[in-house]
């Protein structure tokens, strides 16, 4: 990408973000909403929690696509992750009292199982050159059926009973600091983990040899192959990473912040995997940008709770549309995003 292209994309992304924020301000002004009461510490906390699963899936999808593989199955892998996390914690507890240890076992299980499932997806798309869009949609459809079916086998219904979730990490004394104490020192470990994943993803992508390989695999795999690097191995690594992070994202929804697995409708994931794809496109394939976009979508997703908190009555169905309206605005304004040159194209070494 040339410096000029990067500059143009950055300007348009900032412009799109400004438009979305301006729309939110306009809505608040039109409805005569008290802005100061909307932006509270609690609202920021809820925004971080809502953004966490989107950001995790977005960073995973970003890596896969940067290497040349479009993992459109993020939504499906999140459903698998949510189910496996809740079911594993439930089963390992002996269907009894679920401890924090059981919950973390469930989260790790979700990551491992989704990494293994994504390995199958990677073999189909990289080794056997299956159509990446079709394969991704297949993952989603299978997850939509597999989730409620497995939940029925485990719990006797399409949803789990109410389960506990992961406790916050509280730092004594520091947690008492006004505002910052509650945001930084009395916070879910999954939020902290997401921030660390975002920072690590940026460092690896832009400051390490592997990161340069990932970018080259998506832009010019022939050149990478000529340099003696196995393009397929790089793609396998990034696709499996996308599955592992999607599994973690799903686990945050069911037992990280939520109270179990919900298998009704489109399940508790409810389109967040698709929003994650928009988030990394909006973030210019940059992990930090994807995290920022996730915060934007998380904030719009939490508006309904904030309205209720300050006593403003709006139809839930209307407020629930805000994240999707934000996605449409972003897609309309950032739809120019240039995908990696070789994304979706199988690669065979000339050796």
């Amino acid at each position: 990408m040339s410096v000029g292209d990067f500059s143009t994309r950055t300007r348009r992304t900032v412009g799109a973000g400004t438009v979305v924020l301006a729309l939110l301000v306009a809505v608040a002004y039109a409805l005569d909403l008290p802005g100061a009461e909307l932006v509270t510490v609690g609202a920021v906390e809820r925004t971080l929690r809502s953004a966490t699963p989107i950001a995790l899936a977005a960073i995973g999808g970003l890596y896969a696509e940067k290497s040349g593989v479009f993992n459109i199955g993020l939504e499906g892998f999140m459903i698998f992750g949510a189910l496996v996390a809740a079911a594993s914690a439930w089963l390992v507890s002996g269907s009894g009292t679920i401890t924090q240890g059981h919950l973390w076992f469930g989260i790790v299980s979700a990551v491992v199982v989704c990494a293994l499932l994504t390995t199958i997806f990677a073999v189909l798309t990289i080794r056997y050159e299956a159509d990446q869009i079709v394969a991704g949609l297949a993952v989603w459809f299978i997850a939509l059926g597999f989730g409620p079916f497995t939940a029925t086998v485990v719990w006797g219904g399409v949803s789990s009973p109410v389960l506990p979730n992961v406790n916050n990490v509280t730092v004594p004394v520091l947690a008492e600091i006004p505002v910052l104490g509650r945001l930084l020192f009395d916070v879910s470990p999954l939020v902290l983990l997401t921030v660390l994943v975002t920072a690590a993803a940026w460092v690896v992508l832009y400051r390490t040899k592997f990161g340069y390989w990932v970018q080259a695999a998506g832009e010019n795999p022939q050149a990478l192959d000529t340099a003696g690097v196995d393009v397929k191995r790089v793609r396998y690594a990034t696709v499996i990473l996308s599955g592992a992070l999607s599994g973690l994202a799903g686990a945050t929804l069911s037992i990280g912040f939520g109270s179990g697995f919900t298998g009704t409708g489109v399940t508790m994931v409810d389109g967040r995997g698709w929003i994650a794809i928009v988030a990394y496109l909006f973030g210019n394939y940059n992990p930090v940008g994807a995290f920022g976009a996730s915060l934007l979508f998380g904030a719009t997703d939490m508006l309904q709770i904030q309205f209720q908190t300050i006593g403003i009555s709006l139809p839930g169905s209307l407020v629930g549309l805000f994240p999707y309206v934000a996605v449409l605005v972003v897609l309309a304004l950032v739809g120019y995003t240039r995908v990696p040159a070789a994304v979706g194209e199988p690669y065979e070494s000339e050796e």
Side-chain angles (χ1 to χ4, degrees):
M1 182 193 306
S2 68
V3 174
D5 288 342
F6 178 80
S7 177
T8 300
R9 289 174 59 181
T10 300
R11 284 200 303 272
R12 291 188 178 184
T13 300
V14 171
T18 303
V19 169
V20 173
L21 290 175
L23 287 174
L24 291 175
V25 172
V27 170
Y29 180 78
L31 298 176
D32 194 23
L33 302 178
E37 296 181 26
L38 284 175
V39 184
T40 63
V41 175
V44 175
E45 271 187 324
R46 287 188 287 274
T47 294
L48 287 170
R49 286 177 175 243
S50 180
T52 290
I54 299 173
L56 289 170
I59 291 171
L62 177 157
Y63 261 76
E65 192 160 336
K66 286 286 270 187
S67 76
V69 179
F70 189 20
N71 186 357
I72 202 174
L74 297 180
E75 177 88 2
F77 289 119
M78 287 179 71
I79 296 173
F80 280 116
L83 170 72
V84 170
S88 298
W90 170 265
L91 293 174
V92 79
S93 72
S95 306
T97 302
I98 298 178
T99 65
Q100 290 295 303
H102 296 146
L103 293 175
W104 281 105
F105 177 83
I107 291 172
V108 172
S109 298
V111 172
V112 172
V113 169
C114 286
L116 293 175
L117 291 174
T118 318
T119 302
I120 300 173
F121 174 83
V123 170
L124 291 174
T125 54
I126 299 172
R127 172 68 178 83
Y128 295 103
E129 302 181 3
D131 187 287
Q132 295 171 9
I133 302 298
V134 174
L137 289 174
V139 170
W140 178 43
F141 285 126
I142 291 172
L144 281 176
F146 183 81
F149 170 76
T150 306
T152 302
V153 172
V154 176
W155 295 295
V158 296
S159 300
S160 73
V162 175
L163 304 178
N165 55 35
V166 175
N167 290 339
N168 278 6
V169 172
T170 303
V171 181
V173 181
L174 294 179
E176 303 300 324
I177 298 173
V179 182
L180 290 181
R182 190 171 162 188
L183 292 176
L184 300 179
F185 303 111
D186 185 13
V187 65
S188 169
L190 292 167
V191 172
L192 297 176
L193 179 61
T194 302
V195 174
L196 290 176
V197 166
T198 302
W202 186 90
V203 171
V204 170
L205 192 59
Y206 295 112
R207 292 292 184 271
T208 68
K209 184 181 293 184
F210 177 73
Y212 297 140
W213 291 352
V214 171
Q215 297 181 61
E219 294 290 350
N220 193 340
Q222 291 83 3
L224 186 62
D225 191 19
T226 302
V229 179
D230 190 323
V231 174
K232 288 187 176 180
R233 286 189 179 183
V234 174
R235 290 182 172 180
Y236 274 119
T238 57
V239 173
I240 293 172
L241 173 66
S242 71
L245 288 179
S246 297
L248 178 59
T252 64
L253 288 170
S254 62
I255 59 173
F257 306 137
S259 54
F261 176 76
T262 302
T264 56
V266 289
T267 80
M268 63 196 314
V269 177
D270 197 19
R272 289 177 176 82
W274 305 111
I275 293 178
I277 294 174
V278 177
Y280 71 71
L281 292 175
F282 185 39
N284 277 339
Y285 292 94
N286 184 310
V288 177
F291 182 76
S294 301
L295 287 176
L296 175 63
F297 296 132
T300 56
D301 190 28
M302 289 294 103
L303 274 180
Q304 183 175 355
I305 294 177
Q306 196 61 14
F307 284 163
Q308 293 173 350
T309 301
I310 61 177
I312 296 176
S313 178
L314 286 177
S317 56
L318 173 64
V319 182
L321 290 175
F322 286 177
Y324 305 101
V325 172
V327 168
L328 290 175
V329 172
V330 167
L331 283 176
L333 296 176
V334 195
Y336 69 92
T337 299
R338 189 186 71 83
V339 301
V343 71
E345 298 179 2
Y347 181 76
E348 286 294 340
S349 174
E350 296 179 354
E351 292 183 357

